Amino acid sequence: MPRYALLIAYRGEGFHGWQRQPGLMTVQEVLEDAAAKLNGGVVPTLAAAGRTDSGVHAEGQVAEVEVSAELPPTRLRAALDFHTRPHPLSVRAAAFAPEGWSPRFSARMRHYRYRILNRPARPALEQGQVWHVPQPLDAGAMHRAAQHLLGKHDFSAFRAASCQAKDALRTLDRLEVTREGEEVVIRVSARSFLHHQVRNLVGTLHPVGRGQREEEWPRAVLDGRDRRAAGQTAPPEGLCFMGVEYEEKLGWQAGPA
């Protein structure tokens, strides 16, 4: 049967995360049920580049599916996009999956973005897509503190208690904090992440931006390897899975405009 790579976007507040769970609406369930209509009614299992939590969004999630219907990628994309309605999910593009390729294990870099709406007024159009922090934040101080966390380290202080990774050693390639109008935007890149790592990094940079902690504090937390010493876990709604890089050229196809 043909194997396809899928490029997917979704609004996280409409789902209880990526992974299928009994009695809960998840991204995996919606996509697998849609794919079953192209697979003789048999529900296939989708593998994804990353399992996002409840409330976390995606612009560039990547998944793999195998179905019995032999369709050009553009027709597969359109069919899945149709069958996932009315859920807040879009199959942006599809491609034939290369031999031996895996959306998870073939990934060379994953990119996330976290948005903080930093103004007194609560969000309106941005509701559900940002963390609202009404107190002023110093994005420059947050960025300078973030640079001390780059590189290969034991990120035990920034992993969730439920994290199932065998060890906490990770290489953080990018942790950039910028102010963009009323928003403070954090962009994070690494080959792989621990559970809640990005949200815990943001939650630890937050008191630095508030002036409640010194710029050296996040590095001291990192070196201490104690999750209890770090900041809060930032809310999920500000986080978006932006995309994945692979060595393979996937040749995404979206179809005619």
Side-chain angles (χ1 to χ4, degrees):
M1 294 193 295
R3 294 167 51 249
Y4 298 90
L6 306 175
L7 182 63
I8 308 156
Y10 48 86
R11 290 177 62 100
E13 72 267 32
F15 301 99
H16 291 270
W18 166 269
Q19 190 170 6
R20 182 183 280 269
Q21 303 175 58
L24 298 175
M25 183 64 65
T26 67
V27 179
Q28 185 180 22
E29 178 183 357
V30 168
L31 281 167
E32 288 179 348
D33 288 352
K37 301 182 186 304
L38 310 175
N39 197 43
V42 178
V43 179
T45 299
L46 271 79
R51 296 177 179 179
T52 51
D53 289 330
S54 178
V56 175
H57 314 289
E59 283 191 18
Q61 173 71 277
V62 178
E64 177 191 20
V65 65
E66 186 176 42
V67 296
S68 57
E70 295 190 15
L71 299 172
T74 53
R75 289 189 59 193
L76 177 91
R77 184 214 67 77
L80 290 176
D81 212 33
F82 175 81
H83 290 301
T84 54
R85 296 176 181 179
H87 301 286
L89 181 153
S90 173
V91 181
R92 297 174 53 197
F96 289 116
E99 186 68 29
W101 173 83
S102 161
R104 178 184 175 190
F105 297 109
S106 298
R108 291 292 175 262
M109 193 68 64
R110 293 171 171 85
H111 305 285
Y112 284 87
R113 180 192 66 201
Y114 197 97
R115 297 170 60 195
I116 300 175
L117 182 64
N118 189 215
R119 70 182 188 198
R122 59 188 175 88
L125 299 179
E126 310 90 344
Q127 181 67 38
Q129 301 181 66
V130 296
W131 178 18
H132 179 219
V133 177
Q135 301 86 3
L137 291 174
D138 184 341
M142 294 170 69
H143 178 75
R144 290 189 293 272
Q147 303 319 291
H148 298 295
L149 305 177
L150 296 177
K152 188 174 184 179
H153 306 287
D154 183 323
F155 282 93
S156 293
F158 299 98
R159 71 189 299 184
S162 59
C163 182
Q164 298 178 357
K166 292 181 179 179
D167 63 71
L169 198 64
R170 293 293 185 275
T171 300
L172 193 61
D173 294 277
R174 182 189 190 192
L175 185 56
E176 180 181 276
V177 185
T178 58
R179 175 167 288 280
E180 300 178 12
E182 293 181 322
E183 290 190 12
V184 173
V185 181
I186 300 96
R187 293 180 172 85
V188 193
S189 299
R191 181 170 185 173
S192 63
F193 291 91
L194 301 166
H195 191 200
H196 286 177
Q197 183 179 351
V198 175
R199 291 166 58 192
N200 289 337
L201 286 167
V202 173
T204 301
L205 292 174
H206 167 256
V208 176
R210 290 281 310 278
Q212 298 169 328
R213 293 283 191 174
E214 299 296 325
E215 294 177 16
E216 297 77 18
W217 177 66
R219 179 55 193 248
V221 170
L222 173 73
D223 293 338
R225 304 180 183 180
D226 184 356
R227 175 68 190 99
R228 296 168 298 179
Q232 66 178 296
T233 301
E237 57 264 26
L239 185 60
C240 185
F241 187 11
M242 300 301 292
V244 194
E245 294 180 24
Y246 299 99
E247 287 186 0
E248 298 90 343
K249 300 296 183 182
L250 294 176
W252 294 117
Q253 300 179 44

